[in-house]
Coordinates of all heavy atoms in Angstrom, one line a residue:
M5 N -10.6 -39.4 -17.5 CA -9.9 -38.5 -16.5 C -10.3 -37.0 -16.8 O -10.4 -36.6 -17.9 CB -8.3 -38.6 -16.8 CG -7.5 -37.7 -16.0 SD -5.8 -38.1 -16.3 CE -5.1 -36.9 -15.1
R6 N -10.5 -36.4 -15.7 CA -11.1 -35.0 -15.9 C -9.8 -34.0 -15.9 O -8.8 -34.2 -15.3 CB -11.8 -34.6 -14.6 CG -13.1 -35.4 -14.6 CD -13.9 -34.9 -13.5 NE -15.2 -35.7 -13.4 CZ -16.0 -35.6 -12.4 NH1 -15.9 -34.7 -11.5 NH2 -17.2 -36.3 -12.5
N7 N -10.0 -33.0 -16.7 CA -9.0 -31.9 -16.8 C -9.4 -30.8 -15.9 O -10.5 -30.2 -16.0 CB -8.8 -31.4 -18.2 CG -8.2 -32.5 -19.1 OD1 -7.5 -33.3 -18.7 ND2 -8.5 -32.4 -20.4
Y8 N -8.6 -30.4 -14.9 CA -8.9 -29.4 -14.0 C -7.9 -28.2 -14.3 O -6.8 -28.3 -14.6 CB -8.7 -29.7 -12.5 CG -9.7 -30.8 -12.1 CD1 -9.4 -32.1 -11.9 CD2 -11.0 -30.3 -11.7 CE1 -10.3 -33.0 -11.5 CE2 -11.9 -31.2 -11.3 CZ -11.6 -32.6 -11.2 OH -12.5 -33.4 -10.8
L9 N -8.5 -27.0 -14.2 CA -7.7 -25.8 -14.4 C -7.2 -25.3 -13.0 O -7.9 -25.0 -12.1 CB -8.6 -24.7 -15.0 CG -7.8 -23.4 -15.2 CD1 -6.7 -23.5 -16.2 CD2 -8.8 -22.3 -15.8
I10 N -5.9 -25.4 -12.9 CA -5.2 -25.0 -11.6 C -4.7 -23.6 -11.7 O -3.9 -23.3 -12.6 CB -4.1 -26.0 -11.2 CG1 -4.6 -27.4 -11.1 CG2 -3.4 -25.5 -9.9 CD1 -3.6 -28.4 -10.8
I11 N -5.3 -22.7 -10.9 CA -4.9 -21.3 -11.0 C -4.2 -21.0 -9.7 O -4.7 -21.2 -8.6 CB -6.1 -20.4 -11.1 CG1 -6.8 -20.7 -12.4 CG2 -5.7 -18.9 -11.1 CD1 -8.2 -20.0 -12.6
P12 N -2.9 -20.4 -9.8 CA -2.2 -20.1 -8.6 C -3.0 -19.0 -7.8 O -3.7 -18.2 -8.3 CB -1.0 -19.5 -9.1 CG -0.8 -20.0 -10.5 CD -2.1 -20.2 -10.9
V13 N -2.8 -19.1 -6.4 CA -3.6 -18.1 -5.5 C -3.4 -16.7 -5.9 O -4.2 -15.9 -5.9 CB -3.3 -18.5 -4.1 CG1 -3.9 -17.5 -3.2 CG2 -3.6 -19.9 -3.7
Y14 N -2.1 -16.3 -6.1 CA -1.8 -14.9 -6.4 C -2.5 -14.4 -7.6 O -2.8 -13.2 -7.8 CB -0.3 -14.7 -6.5 CG 0.4 -15.2 -7.8 CD1 0.5 -14.5 -8.9 CD2 0.9 -16.5 -7.7 CE1 1.1 -15.1 -10.0 CE2 1.5 -17.1 -8.8 CZ 1.7 -16.3 -9.9 OH 2.2 -16.9 -11.1
L15 N -2.9 -15.2 -8.6 CA -3.5 -14.8 -9.9 C -5.0 -14.6 -9.5 O -5.6 -13.8 -10.2 CB -3.3 -15.9 -10.9 CG -2.0 -15.9 -11.7 CD1 -2.0 -16.9 -12.8 CD2 -1.7 -14.5 -12.2
V16 N -5.6 -15.4 -8.7 CA -7.0 -15.2 -8.3 C -7.2 -13.7 -7.8 O -8.2 -13.1 -8.1 CB -7.4 -16.3 -7.3 CG1 -8.8 -16.0 -6.8 CG2 -7.3 -17.6 -7.8
G17 N -6.3 -13.3 -6.9 CA -6.5 -12.0 -6.4 C -6.3 -10.9 -7.5 O -7.1 -9.9 -7.5
K18 N -5.4 -11.1 -8.3 CA -5.1 -10.1 -9.5 C -6.3 -10.0 -10.4 O -6.7 -9.0 -10.8 CB -3.9 -10.4 -10.2 CG -2.6 -10.1 -9.3 CD -1.3 -10.3 -10.1 CE -0.1 -10.0 -9.3 NZ 1.1 -9.9 -10.0
I19 N -6.9 -11.2 -10.7 CA -8.1 -11.2 -11.6 C -9.2 -10.6 -10.9 O -10.0 -9.8 -11.6 CB -8.3 -12.7 -12.0 CG1 -7.2 -13.3 -12.9 CG2 -9.7 -12.8 -12.7 CD1 -7.3 -14.7 -13.2
G20 N -9.4 -10.9 -9.6 CA -10.5 -10.2 -8.8 C -10.4 -8.7 -8.9 O -11.3 -8.0 -9.0
C21 N -9.2 -8.2 -8.7 CA -8.9 -6.8 -8.7 C -9.2 -6.2 -10.1 O -9.6 -5.1 -10.2 CB -7.5 -6.4 -8.3 SG -7.3 -6.8 -6.5
Q22 N -8.9 -6.9 -11.2 CA -9.1 -6.4 -12.5 C -10.6 -6.3 -12.8 O -11.0 -5.4 -13.5 CB -8.4 -7.3 -13.5 CG -6.9 -7.1 -13.5 CD -6.3 -8.1 -14.5 OE1 -6.9 -9.0 -15.1 NE2 -5.0 -7.9 -14.7
L23 N -11.3 -7.2 -12.2 CA -12.8 -7.2 -12.4 C -13.5 -6.3 -11.5 O -14.4 -5.5 -12.0 CB -13.3 -8.7 -12.3 CG -12.9 -9.7 -13.3 CD1 -13.4 -11.0 -13.0 CD2 -13.3 -9.3 -14.7
A24 N -13.2 -6.3 -10.3 CA -14.1 -5.6 -9.3 C -13.4 -4.4 -8.7 O -13.9 -3.6 -7.9 CB -14.4 -6.6 -8.2
G25 N -12.0 -4.2 -8.9 CA -11.3 -3.2 -8.3 C -10.5 -3.6 -7.0 O -10.9 -4.6 -6.4
H26 N -9.6 -2.8 -6.6 CA -8.8 -3.1 -5.4 C -9.6 -2.9 -4.2 O -10.5 -2.0 -4.1 CB -7.6 -2.3 -5.4 CG -6.6 -2.6 -6.5 ND1 -5.8 -3.7 -6.5 CD2 -6.3 -1.9 -7.7 CE1 -5.1 -3.7 -7.7 NE2 -5.4 -2.6 -8.3
R27 N -9.2 -3.6 -3.1 CA -9.8 -3.4 -1.8 C -8.7 -2.9 -0.9 O -8.0 -3.8 -0.2 CB -10.5 -4.6 -1.3 CG -11.6 -5.0 -2.1 CD -12.3 -6.4 -1.7 NE -12.6 -6.3 -0.3 CZ -12.8 -7.4 0.5 NH1 -12.7 -8.6 -0.1 NH2 -13.1 -7.3 1.8
F28 N -8.4 -1.6 -0.8 CA -7.3 -1.1 0.0 C -7.6 -1.0 1.5 O -8.7 -0.6 1.8 CB -6.8 0.3 -0.6 CG -6.2 0.2 -1.9 CD1 -6.8 0.7 -3.0 CD2 -4.9 -0.4 -2.0 CE1 -6.2 0.6 -4.3 CE2 -4.3 -0.5 -3.2 CZ -4.9 0.1 -4.3
V29 N -6.7 -1.3 2.3 CA -6.8 -1.1 3.7 C -5.5 -0.3 4.1 O -4.4 -0.4 3.5 CB -6.8 -2.4 4.6 CG1 -8.1 -3.1 4.3 CG2 -5.6 -3.3 4.3
T30 N -5.6 0.6 5.1 CA -4.4 1.3 5.6 C -3.6 0.4 6.5 O -4.0 -0.2 7.4 CB -4.9 2.6 6.5 OG1 -5.9 3.3 5.7 CG2 -3.8 3.4 6.9
T31 N -2.3 0.3 6.0 CA -1.4 -0.5 6.8 C -0.5 0.3 7.6 O 0.0 -0.3 8.7 CB -0.5 -1.3 5.8 OG1 0.2 -0.4 4.9 CG2 -1.3 -2.3 5.0
R32 N -0.3 1.6 7.4 CA 0.5 2.4 8.2 C 0.1 3.9 8.0 O -0.1 4.3 7.0 CB 2.0 2.2 7.9 CG 2.9 3.1 8.6 CD 4.3 2.7 8.2 NE 5.3 3.6 8.9 CZ 6.4 3.9 8.5 NH1 6.9 3.5 7.3 NH2 7.2 4.7 9.2
S33 N 0.0 4.6 9.2 CA -0.3 5.9 9.1 C 1.1 6.7 9.4 O 1.5 6.7 10.5 CB -1.3 6.3 10.2 OG -1.7 7.7 10.1
V34 N 1.7 7.3 8.4 CA 2.9 7.9 8.5 C 2.7 9.3 9.3 O 3.5 9.5 10.3 CB 3.5 8.2 7.1 CG1 4.9 8.9 7.2 CG2 3.7 6.9 6.4
T35 N 1.9 10.0 8.9 CA 1.5 11.3 9.5 C 0.0 11.4 9.4 O -0.7 10.4 9.0 CB 2.1 12.6 8.8 OG1 1.5 12.7 7.5 CG2 3.6 12.5 8.8
Q36 N -0.6 12.5 9.7 CA -2.0 12.8 9.6 C -2.5 12.7 8.1 O -3.6 12.3 7.8 CB -2.4 14.1 10.2 CG -3.9 14.4 10.3 CD -4.2 15.7 10.9 OE1 -3.3 16.4 11.3 NE2 -5.5 16.1 11.0
Y37 N -1.6 13.1 7.2 CA -1.9 13.2 5.8 C -1.3 12.1 4.9 O -1.9 11.9 3.9 CB -1.5 14.6 5.3 CG -2.2 15.7 6.1 CD1 -1.4 16.4 7.0 CD2 -3.5 16.0 5.9 CE1 -2.0 17.5 7.7 CE2 -4.1 17.0 6.7 CZ -3.3 17.8 7.5 OH -3.9 18.7 8.2
F38 N -0.3 11.5 5.4 CA 0.4 10.5 4.6 C 0.2 9.1 5.2 O 0.4 8.9 6.4 CB 2.0 10.7 4.5 CG 2.3 11.9 3.7 CD1 2.4 13.2 4.2 CD2 2.5 11.7 2.3 CE1 2.8 14.2 3.5 CE2 2.8 12.8 1.5 CZ 2.9 14.1 2.0
K39 N -0.3 8.2 4.4 CA -0.6 6.8 4.8 C -0.1 5.8 3.7 O 0.2 6.1 2.6 CB -2.1 6.7 5.0 CG -2.7 7.6 6.1 CD -4.1 7.4 6.2 CE -4.9 8.1 7.3 NZ -4.2 9.2 7.9
E40 N 0.1 4.6 4.2 CA 0.5 3.5 3.3 C -0.7 2.6 3.3 O -1.4 2.3 4.2 CB 1.7 2.8 3.8 CG 3.0 3.7 3.7 CD 4.2 3.0 4.2 OE1 4.1 1.8 4.6 OE2 5.3 3.6 4.2
Y41 N -0.9 2.0 2.0 CA -2.1 1.2 1.8 C -1.6 -0.1 1.2 O -0.6 -0.2 0.4 CB -3.2 1.9 0.9 CG -3.5 3.2 1.3 CD1 -2.9 4.4 0.8 CD2 -4.6 3.4 2.1 CE1 -3.3 5.7 1.2 CE2 -5.0 4.6 2.6 CZ -4.4 5.8 2.1 OH -4.8 7.0 2.5
R42 N -2.5 -1.2 1.4 CA -2.2 -2.5 0.7 C -3.5 -3.0 0.3 O -4.5 -3.0 1.1 CB -1.5 -3.4 1.7 CG -1.3 -4.8 1.1 CD -0.7 -5.8 2.1 NE 0.6 -5.3 2.5 CZ 1.7 -5.9 2.2 NH1 1.7 -7.1 1.6 NH2 2.9 -5.5 2.5
C43 N -3.6 -3.7 -0.9 CA -4.8 -4.3 -1.4 C -4.9 -5.6 -0.6 O -4.0 -6.5 -0.7 CB -4.8 -4.5 -2.9 SG -6.1 -5.4 -3.5
K44 N -6.2 -6.0 -0.2 CA -6.5 -7.2 0.5 C -6.3 -8.4 -0.4 O -6.0 -9.5 0.0 CB -7.8 -7.1 1.2 CG -7.8 -6.2 2.4 CD -9.3 -6.0 2.8 CE -9.6 -7.1 3.8 NZ -11.0 -6.9 4.4
N45 N -6.6 -8.2 -1.7 CA -6.7 -9.2 -2.6 C -5.3 -9.6 -3.2 O -4.8 -10.7 -3.2 CB -7.7 -9.0 -3.8 CG -9.0 -8.9 -3.3 OD1 -9.4 -9.5 -2.4 ND2 -9.8 -8.1 -4.0
C46 N -4.7 -8.6 -3.9 CA -3.4 -8.8 -4.6 C -2.1 -8.4 -4.0 O -1.0 -8.7 -4.4 CB -3.6 -8.2 -6.1 SG -3.5 -6.4 -6.0
G47 N -2.2 -7.6 -2.9 CA -1.0 -7.2 -2.2 C -0.4 -5.9 -2.7 O 0.7 -5.5 -2.3
L48 N -1.0 -5.3 -3.7 CA -0.5 -4.0 -4.2 C -0.3 -3.0 -3.1 O -1.2 -2.8 -2.4 CB -1.4 -3.5 -5.3 CG -1.0 -2.1 -6.0 CD1 0.3 -2.4 -6.8 CD2 -2.1 -1.7 -6.9
E49 N 0.9 -2.4 -3.0 CA 1.1 -1.3 -2.0 C 1.1 0.0 -2.6 O 1.8 0.3 -3.6 CB 2.4 -1.6 -1.3 CG 2.4 -2.8 -0.5 CD 3.6 -3.2 0.3 OE1 4.7 -3.0 -0.4 OE2 3.6 -3.6 1.4
L50 N 0.5 1.1 -2.0 CA 0.4 2.4 -2.4 C 0.7 3.4 -1.2 O 0.6 2.9 -0.1 CB -1.0 2.8 -3.0 CG -1.4 1.9 -4.2 CD1 -2.9 2.4 -4.6 CD2 -0.6 2.1 -5.4
T51 N 1.0 4.6 -1.6 CA 1.1 5.6 -0.6 C 0.6 7.0 -1.2 O 0.3 6.9 -2.4 CB 2.6 5.8 -0.1 OG1 2.7 6.7 1.0 CG2 3.5 6.3 -1.3
N52 N 0.5 7.9 -0.5 CA 0.1 9.2 -1.0 C 1.4 10.0 -1.4 O 2.4 9.9 -0.8 CB -0.5 10.1 0.1 CG -1.7 9.4 0.8 OD1 -1.5 8.6 1.5 ND2 -2.8 9.8 0.3
D53 N 1.2 10.9 -2.5 CA 2.2 11.8 -2.9 C 1.9 13.2 -2.3 O 0.9 13.3 -1.5 CB 2.4 11.9 -4.4 CG 1.2 12.4 -5.1 OD1 0.2 12.8 -4.5 OD2 1.3 12.5 -6.3
E54 N 2.7 14.1 -2.6 CA 2.4 15.5 -2.0 C 1.2 16.2 -2.4 O 0.7 17.1 -1.7 CB 3.7 16.4 -2.3 CG 3.8 16.7 -3.8 CD 4.6 15.6 -4.5 OE1 5.1 14.6 -3.9 OE2 4.7 15.8 -5.8
T55 N 0.6 15.7 -3.5 CA -0.8 16.2 -3.9 C -1.9 15.5 -3.4 O -3.1 15.8 -3.6 CB -0.9 16.4 -5.4 OG1 -0.8 15.1 -6.0 CG2 0.2 17.2 -6.0
G56 N -1.7 14.4 -2.7 CA -2.8 13.5 -2.1 C -3.2 12.3 -3.0 O -4.0 11.6 -2.6
K57 N -2.5 12.2 -4.2 CA -2.8 11.1 -5.0 C -2.2 9.8 -4.6 O -1.1 9.9 -4.0 CB -2.4 11.4 -6.4 CG -3.2 12.6 -7.0 CD -2.7 12.8 -8.5 CE -3.4 14.0 -9.1 NZ -2.9 14.4 -10.4
K58 N -2.7 8.7 -4.9 CA -2.2 7.5 -4.5 C -1.1 7.0 -5.6 O -1.5 7.0 -6.7 CB -3.3 6.4 -4.3 CG -4.0 6.6 -3.0 CD -5.0 5.5 -2.8 CE -5.8 5.7 -1.6 NZ -6.4 7.0 -1.4
I59 N 0.1 6.7 -5.1 CA 1.1 6.3 -6.0 C 1.7 5.0 -5.5 O 1.5 4.5 -4.3 CB 2.2 7.3 -6.2 CG1 2.9 7.7 -4.8 CG2 1.7 8.6 -6.9 CD1 4.1 8.6 -4.9
S60 N 2.4 4.3 -6.4 CA 3.1 3.0 -6.0 C 4.1 3.2 -5.0 O 4.9 4.1 -4.9 CB 3.7 2.4 -7.3 OG 4.3 1.2 -6.9
L61 N 4.1 2.3 -4.0 CA 5.1 2.3 -2.9 C 6.4 1.6 -3.2 O 6.5 0.5 -3.2 CB 4.5 1.7 -1.6 CG 5.3 1.8 -0.3 CD1 5.5 3.3 0.0 CD2 4.6 1.0 0.8
T62 N 7.3 2.4 -3.7 CA 8.6 1.9 -4.1 C 9.6 2.0 -2.9 O 9.2 2.6 -1.9 CB 9.1 2.8 -5.2 OG1 9.4 4.1 -4.8 CG2 8.3 2.8 -6.5
P63 N 10.7 1.3 -3.0 CA 11.6 1.4 -1.8 C 12.1 2.8 -1.6 O 12.2 3.2 -0.4 CB 12.8 0.6 -2.3 CG 12.2 -0.4 -3.3 CD 11.1 0.4 -4.0
T64 N 12.1 3.7 -2.6 CA 12.4 5.1 -2.3 C 11.3 5.8 -1.6 O 11.6 6.5 -0.6 CB 12.7 5.9 -3.7 OG1 13.7 5.2 -4.5 CG2 13.0 7.3 -3.5
H65 N 10.0 5.6 -1.9 CA 8.9 6.1 -1.2 C 8.8 5.6 0.2 O 8.5 6.3 1.1 CB 7.6 6.0 -2.0 CG 7.6 6.8 -3.2 ND1 7.5 6.3 -4.4 CD2 7.5 8.1 -3.4 CE1 7.5 7.3 -5.3 NE2 7.4 8.4 -4.7
R66 N 9.1 4.3 0.4 CA 9.1 3.7 1.7 C 10.2 4.4 2.6 O 9.9 4.7 3.8 CB 9.4 2.3 1.6 CG 9.1 1.5 2.8 CD 9.5 0.0 2.7 NE 8.7 -0.6 1.7 CZ 7.5 -1.1 1.7 NH1 6.9 -1.2 2.9 NH2 7.0 -1.7 0.7
E67 N 11.4 4.7 2.1 CA 12.4 5.3 2.8 C 12.0 6.8 3.1 O 12.2 7.3 4.3 CB 13.7 5.3 2.0 CG 14.9 5.9 2.8 CD 16.2 5.8 2.0 OE1 16.2 4.9 1.1 OE2 17.0 6.6 2.2
I68 N 11.3 7.5 2.2 CA 10.9 8.9 2.5 C 9.8 8.9 3.5 O 9.8 9.7 4.5 CB 10.3 9.5 1.2 CG1 11.4 9.7 0.1 CG2 9.5 10.7 1.4 CD1 11.0 10.1 -1.2
N69 N 8.9 7.9 3.5 CA 7.9 7.8 4.6 C 8.5 7.5 5.9 O 8.0 8.1 7.0 CB 6.8 6.7 4.1 CG 5.9 7.2 3.1 OD1 5.9 8.4 2.7 ND2 5.2 6.3 2.6
E70 N 9.5 6.6 6.0 CA 10.1 6.4 7.2 C 10.8 7.6 7.8 O 10.6 7.9 9.0 CB 11.2 5.2 7.1 CG 11.8 4.8 8.3 CD 10.8 4.2 9.3 OE1 9.9 3.6 9.0 OE2 11.1 4.4 10.5
T71 N 11.5 8.3 7.0 CA 12.2 9.6 7.4 C 11.1 10.6 7.9 O 11.3 11.2 9.0 CB 13.0 10.2 6.3 OG1 14.0 9.1 5.9 CG2 13.8 11.4 6.8
L72 N 10.0 10.7 7.1 CA 9.0 11.7 7.5 C 8.3 11.3 8.8 O 8.1 12.1 9.6 CB 7.9 11.8 6.3 CG 6.8 12.6 6.5 CD1 7.3 14.1 6.6 CD2 5.8 12.5 5.3
S73 N 8.1 10.0 9.0 CA 7.5 9.5 10.2 C 8.4 9.9 11.4 O 7.9 10.3 12.5 CB 7.3 8.0 10.2 OG 6.8 7.5 11.3
Q74 N 9.7 9.6 11.3 CA 10.6 9.9 12.4 C 10.7 11.4 12.6 O 10.7 11.7 13.9 CB 12.1 9.4 12.0 CG 12.2 7.9 12.0 CD 13.6 7.4 11.5 OE1 14.4 8.3 11.0 NE2 13.7 6.2 11.4
F75 N 10.8 12.2 11.7 CA 10.7 13.7 11.8 C 9.4 14.1 12.5 O 9.3 14.9 13.5 CB 10.8 14.3 10.5 CG 10.7 15.8 10.6 CD1 11.8 16.6 11.0 CD2 9.6 16.5 10.2 CE1 11.7 17.9 11.2 CE2 9.5 17.9 10.3 CZ 10.6 18.6 10.8
Y76 N 8.3 13.5 12.1 CA 6.9 13.8 12.7 C 6.9 13.5 14.2 O 6.4 14.1 15.0 CB 5.9 13.1 11.9 CG 4.4 13.5 12.3 CD1 4.0 14.8 11.9 CD2 3.7 12.6 12.9 CE1 2.6 15.1 12.3 CE2 2.4 12.9 13.3 CZ 1.8 14.2 13.1 OH 0.5 14.5 13.4
Q77 N 7.4 12.3 14.5 CA 7.4 11.8 15.9 C 8.2 12.7 16.8 O 7.8 13.0 17.9 CB 7.9 10.4 16.0 CG 6.9 9.4 15.4 CD 5.6 9.4 16.1 OE1 5.5 9.5 17.3 NE2 4.6 9.2 15.3
K78 N 9.4 13.1 16.3 CA 10.3 14.0 17.1 C 9.6 15.3 17.3 O 9.7 15.9 18.4 CB 11.7 14.2 16.4 CG 12.6 13.0 16.4 CD 13.8 13.4 15.7 CE 14.8 12.2 15.7 NZ 16.0 12.5 15.0
R79 N 9.0 15.8 16.4 CA 8.2 17.1 16.4 C 7.1 17.0 17.4 O 6.8 17.9 18.1 CB 7.7 17.6 15.0 CG 7.2 18.9 15.0 CD 7.0 19.4 13.6 NE 6.5 20.8 13.7 CZ 5.9 21.3 12.6 NH1 5.9 20.8 11.5 NH2 5.4 22.5 12.8
Q80 N 6.3 15.9 17.3 CA 5.2 15.7 18.3 C 5.7 15.7 19.7 O 5.1 16.1 20.7 CB 4.4 14.5 17.9 CG 3.7 14.6 16.6 CD 2.6 15.6 16.6 OE1 1.9 15.8 17.6 NE2 2.6 16.4 15.6
N81 N 6.8 14.9 20.0 CA 7.3 14.8 21.3 C 7.9 16.0 21.9 O 7.9 16.2 23.1 CB 8.4 13.6 21.3 CG 7.7 12.3 21.1 OD1 6.6 12.1 21.3 ND2 8.5 11.3 20.6
A82 N 8.4 16.9 20.9 CA 9.1 18.1 21.4 C 8.1 19.2 21.8 O 8.3 20.1 22.7 CB 10.0 18.7 20.3
G83 N 6.9 19.1 21.2 CA 5.8 20.1 21.4 C 5.0 19.9 22.6 O 4.8 19.7 23.6

């Protein structure tokens, strides 16, 4: 009988990211400067902070981005 190593799919993406780095795609453009990103391999979600650095997308940051997006849309429609 052969022994096979069964690796869950979510671990394959994480191992690939550890070896080769993340492959981020833009999932949402909040404003011209603020965007949300997701890794194609492991599903890690990031966003920009006020200095432009990428930080983890927590529920608090998601709520901030939603409020900022609504404010930005109202401002664009008013002008």
Side-chain angles (χ1 to χ4, degrees):
M5 180 173 178
R6 294 184 183 177
N7 291 332
Y8 291 103
L9 178 62
I10 299 174
I11 301 174
V13 174
Y14 68 91
L15 285 180
V16 173
K18 288 186 179 190
I19 292 171
C21 289
Q22 288 177 352
L23 295 175
H26 294 284
R27 295 177 53 197
F28 289 110
V29 293
T30 304
T31 56
R32 180 175 174 208
S33 183
V34 179
T35 67
Q36 183 178 1
Y37 303 105
F38 288 93
K39 297 180 179 11
E40 292 180 1
Y41 307 94
R42 177 184 295 245
C43 177
K44 291 171 82 173
N45 294 330
C46 68
L48 178 67
E49 293 181 317
L50 301 177
T51 188
N52 301 78
D53 67 358
E54 62 276 356
T55 61
K57 296 180 183 177
K58 290 182 176 54
I59 57 172
S60 180
L61 184 61
T62 62
T64 303
H65 287 112
R66 190 181 307 270
E67 186 177 333
I68 290 169
N69 284 350
E70 182 62 35
T71 304
L72 183 61
S73 176
Q74 291 173 357
F75 178 74
Y76 185 72
Q77 291 298 324
K78 285 181 184 180
R79 188 170 178 191
Q80 292 297 317
N81 293 336

